[in-house]
Amino acid sequence: MNHHRRFDRSGRSGDAEAMQIARTVRELRDWLDGRRAAFVPTMGALHEGHLALIRHAESLGEPVVVSIFVNPTQFGPNEDFSRYPRTLETDLAACEEIGADLVFTPAAEEIYPPGQPPMEIALPPVATEPGLEDAHRPGHFRGVCQVVARLFDLVEPAVAIFGEKDYQQLLVIRAMVKQEQPRWQGLTVTGLPTVRDPDGLAMSSRNRYLDPEQRDRALGLARALQAAHAAQKPDTAEAIMIETLRAHDLAIDYAVVRDSETLMPVGDFSRPTRALIAARLDDVRLIDNQAMTVWT
Ligand code: PAF
């Protein structure tokens, strides 16, 4: 990598400065040179949902850093770490096209230096109490917090941008940042709405695993959320979601309506709530969620 190149937004058109790729912490830190970036952490296999996050980062007027790292510690022993899609060349081209300034693609040793004990972050209640992803993917948020904390320490961003598709993850990261204060001073965590295919399917790197018949069944998640939207009570919404998911032959991990901030159960729609679903379709696990209407 070309070290010490100065970031120059004025040179964007015409002789736009080429996107840089940092493979090591040293290269990343040299490139940043004390500047605070708009940061989009990803595991690659980028789709329109990720690209919307990068575009938003672009709009903020800060240097834009994207990380691509398939983090082993957030996958359970029976999950899809080894087959998780890895599409680095296409991802880099997409980042360049949008105008990302730097892509950080570290090897595992850069994130988890051999001989150093992995960082342990005390998990906030939203990572352990709701009984949603925390219950169905034990150890997942421990791994997410580990890698995101490490990335925040390295990038020291001004803004970090995540999708609402992983809604519990977004809340966990927000809570972690608050809890760890004053570490990552001044960092804002921004969540952006889920990007959907025209028929409603939430974009996900895991959609690549679906054949056409499975993709049709996967639409059950978006349809369940849609059908539940008009319900007057959380338990009715949950019953509607369960029925729709079953009609699509999906195995349900959960289909619930919860408080939008704590993700704990609610009795009515008088406060902001969120419908959240996780369902399995053969060996593919899918999640989706949407805000419910507040009735006063
Ligand atoms: O949402 C993801 O892609 C990952 O969980 C993240 C935040 C990049 C951490 O590995």
Side-chain angles (χ1 to χ4, degrees), residues 252-264:
I252 302 170
D253 278 355
Y254 56 81
V256 293
V257 175
R258 294 295 178 88
D259 181 280
S260 291
E261 274 170 31
T262 62
L263 293 187
M264 297 308 280

Side-chain angles (χ1 to χ4, degrees), residues 130 132 231-238 241 255-276 290-295:
L132 303 176
Q232 301 283 317
K233 298 191 79 182
D235 52 0
T236 323
E238 291 176 355
M241 290 194 287
V256 293
V257 175
R258 294 295 178 88
D259 181 280
S260 291
E261 274 170 31
T262 62
L263 293 187
M264 297 308 280
V266 288
D268 59 36
F269 288 133
S270 61
R271 283 177 41 78
T273 57
R274 199 103 192 163
L276 303 112
Q290 99 181 332
M292 301 294 283
T293 308
V294 178
W295 300 95

Side-chain angles (χ1 to χ4, degrees), residues 41-43 69 71 74 144 147-148 162 166 169 173:
T42 81
M43 298 205 298
F69 177 65
N71 172 39
Q74 70 187 73
V144 168
V147 75
V148 173
F162 298 86
D166 292 290
Q169 167 175 281
I173 291 167

Side-chain angles (χ1 to χ4, degrees), residues 56-68:
H56 178 78
E58 274 288 301
S59 73
L60 300 176
E62 315 282 355
V64 174
V65 173
V66 177
S67 65
I68 297 179

